[in-house]
Amino acid sequence: MAEFDTGLPSVRQIQGLIKEGKEVEVKLLTQDVLVGQLLWQDSDCFCLATQEGIRTIIWRHAMAYIKPQEVEMGSRSLQVRQ
Amino acid sequence: MAEFDTGLPSVRQIQGLIKEGKEVEVKLLTQDVLVGQLLWQDSDCFCLATQEGIRTIIWRHAMAYIKPQEVEMGSRSLQVRQ
Amino acid sequence: MAEFDTGLPSVRQIQGLIKEGKEVEVKLLTQDVLVGQLLWQDSDCFCLATQEGIRTIIWRHAMAYIKPQEVEMGSRSLQVRQ
Amino acid sequence: MAEFDTGLPSVRQIQGLIKEGKEVEVKLLTQDVLVGQLLWQDSDCFCLATQEGIRTIIWRHAMAYIKPQEVEMGSRSLQVRQ
Amino acid sequence: MAEFDTGLPSVRQIQGLIKEGKEVEVKLLTQDVLVGQLLWQDSDCFCLATQEGIRTIIWRHAMAYIKPQEVEMGSRSLQVRQ
Amino acid sequence: MAEFDTGLPSVRQIQGLIKEGKEVEVKLLTQDVLVGQLLWQDSDCFCLATQEGIRTIIWRHAMAYIKPQEVEMGSRSLQVRQ
């Protein structure tokens, strides 16, 4: 397990999303896009409560990116070409 | 082999799933979704007893996420877009 | 190369499969499913003798899961959804 | 968390892109191609402001390559064969 | 760069393939299957001379498995299900 | 960030390609094949100048293999089966 540097900008910014209870969109290396609220983070994982309230433990190594769920899901806000 | 920090929230929460004998759904980076009961975890792997009782050793590095098997398998509880 | 902790449950359980000469099914991150007998393991790799006796060196980092080849190959014992 | 060697050419060059507020194209291991401006980097992640201004935290381990958004998006400047 | 433990069975066995000038088949995480002769190995990479003599440097982290090119290429000796 | 062992054969051989200004073909885990000249390498990344002169920073962890661009692009010199 890697040490967990809580001083990192990325860790602090995500801690902010957790504190604000912000809805986030998480893209995984499996191509899954999970939407919900982050409950906690540690050096290995995140815990996301999905919109059905199911606590999903996601491994950091499987994360591609995370962004706040700003706009209506329908309108693809991120310029993503696959 | 990484040291195994049994104090991590993620390790403790998964240990809880093991103790409760909870049925879980595990999504791997291969896109496989395995369903069964976690028997043990160590710093490298998990052991999952499938519904046929077959002990499957899964590498942590291959795990994307894990969630309790709350609802009837049919209704996709997780908001997953691929 | 990581240190090799032979005391880990996962390492010990796989050593048992090696000792028993058990036929195993190995799923790789490439989606390959290899069937054969494990001959040895070290901190980086496994050696699998395929059913044609070809010694295949597999990297640990490419492994998703391993399970004993319990049932007749045809009936997919593992509940796998892709 | 790995130590962050700010002296590396790669880290310095990306810091230059951040300082210049350059528009960049980022290719991820998920095949996503994200376009926007890098706001910061740390040992684990980058923060990219997309063209809609959405702050996206991207994990380093998910990055394949990054290049300045030199030419008109349409003309694929990079000789890429998939 | 990881230390390179030349005492490992996997490193020694591959060194044997190099010394014997054996033709090998290498399967990568990209699904590429490269055939040729291994020239050298270090803690990060292998060098493979393809059948056209082109020296290809392959990263260890991209390797899935390696096996001697025992049988005629056409007959898939490895029981591989994808 | 891993230490950068400039004594490794793989690092030295790639440094040779850089010094010679050799055109190289780089295959990434995303399946991208990038062609151009390597400008520099560090412990985390390479910098490739594409044929349009665009400086692309590529992460080592995303590299599958690299080879000199010996033959005419059209004739697939590498025996690659996917």
Side-chain angles (χ1 to χ4, degrees), chain E residues 4 7 28 34 41 44-45 48-49 56 60 62 65 72 76 80:
Chain E
F4 190 32
L28 304 189
L34 310 185
Q41 61 176 327
D44 290 3
C45 297
L48 179 85
T56 305
R60 271 180 192 266
Y65 63 74
E72 213 292 296
R76 289 292 310 156
V80 173

Side-chain angles (χ1 to χ4, degrees), chain F residues 3-81:
Chain F
E3 289 126 72
F4 191 32
D5 180 350
T6 54
L8 284 183
S10 51
V11 174
R12 283 206 320 268
Q13 199 142 85
I14 289 172
Q15 202 59 33
L17 293 173
I18 291 171
K19 281 218 174 95
E20 292 158 38
K22 201 103 185 170
E23 189 144 85
V24 294
E25 179 178 304
V26 174
K27 177 70 179 266
L28 304 188
L29 295 180
T30 53
Q31 308 294 346
D32 289 307
V33 177
L34 310 185
V35 175
Q37 281 186 326
L38 287 175
L39 301 181
W40 50 260
Q41 61 175 329
D42 69 19
S43 59
D44 290 1
C45 297
F46 294 95
C47 185
L48 180 85
T50 66
Q51 290 166 319
E52 296 76 29
I54 295 176
R55 287 164 170 262
T56 305
I57 296 178
I58 306 167
W59 269 267
R60 271 180 193 266
H61 62 238
M63 303 276 274
Y65 63 75
I66 187 171
K67 65 185 187 81
Q69 190 66 339
E70 296 288 346
V71 293
E72 213 292 295
M73 279 303 293
S75 66
R76 289 292 311 158
S77 61
L78 193 65
Q79 192 175 16
V80 174
R81 282 170 291 121

Side-chain angles (χ1 to χ4, degrees), chain B residues 4-73:
Chain B
F4 191 31
D5 181 350
T6 53
L8 284 183
S10 51
V11 174
R12 282 204 322 267
Q13 197 142 83
I14 291 172
Q15 203 58 33
L17 294 172
I18 292 172
K19 285 221 173 91
E20 294 157 39
K22 201 107 179 161
E23 187 143 87
V24 295
E25 178 179 303
V26 173
K27 175 72 179 264
L28 305 188
L29 295 179
T30 53
Q31 308 293 347
D32 288 307
V33 177
L34 310 185
V35 176
Q37 281 184 330
L38 287 175
L39 301 180
W40 50 260
Q41 62 175 326
D42 67 19
S43 58
D44 291 0
C45 298
F46 294 95
C47 184
L48 180 85
T50 65
Q51 289 165 321
E52 296 77 28
I54 294 174
R55 288 164 170 262
T56 305
I57 295 177
I58 306 165
W59 270 268
R60 268 179 197 268
H61 61 238
M63 303 274 275
Y65 62 74
I66 186 170
K67 66 185 187 75
Q69 192 65 340
E70 294 291 345
V71 295
E72 212 290 295
M73 279 306 291

Side-chain angles (χ1 to χ4, degrees), chain E residues 6-58:
Chain E
T6 54
L8 286 182
S10 52
V11 174
R12 284 206 319 267
Q13 199 142 84
I14 290 172
Q15 203 58 33
L17 293 172
I18 291 171
K19 283 219 173 93
E20 293 157 37
K22 201 106 183 164
E23 188 144 86
V24 295
E25 179 178 304
V26 174
K27 175 71 179 267
L28 304 189
L29 295 180
T30 53
Q31 308 293 347
D32 289 307
V33 176
L34 310 185
V35 176
Q37 281 185 327
L38 286 175
L39 300 181
W40 49 259
Q41 61 176 327
D42 69 18
S43 59
D44 290 3
C45 297
F46 294 95
C47 184
L48 179 85
T50 66
Q51 289 166 321
E52 296 77 29
I54 295 176
R55 287 165 170 261
T56 305
I57 295 178
I58 307 166

Side-chain angles (χ1 to χ4, degrees), chain C:
Chain C
M1 313 287 148
E3 290 124 71
F4 191 32
D5 181 350
T6 53
L8 285 182
S10 52
V11 174
R12 283 205 321 268
Q13 197 141 84
I14 290 172
Q15 202 58 32
L17 294 172
I18 291 171
K19 284 220 173 91
E20 293 156 38
K22 202 108 182 159
E23 187 142 86
V24 296
E25 179 178 304
V26 174
K27 176 70 179 266
L28 305 188
L29 296 179
T30 53
Q31 308 294 348
D32 288 307
V33 176
L34 310 185
V35 175
Q37 281 185 327
L38 287 175
L39 301 181
W40 50 259
Q41 62 176 324
D42 68 20
S43 59
D44 290 1
C45 298
F46 294 96
C47 184
L48 179 85
T50 66
Q51 289 164 320
E52 296 77 29
I54 295 175
R55 287 164 170 260
T56 305
I57 296 177
I58 306 166
W59 270 267
R60 269 180 194 269
H61 62 239
M63 303 275 274
Y65 63 74
I66 186 170
K67 65 185 187 78
Q69 190 68 339
E70 295 291 345
V71 295
E72 211 291 294
M73 277 305 290
S75 65
R76 289 293 308 159
S77 59
L78 190 66
Q79 192 178 16
V80 174
R81 281 171 290 124
Q82 280 193 293

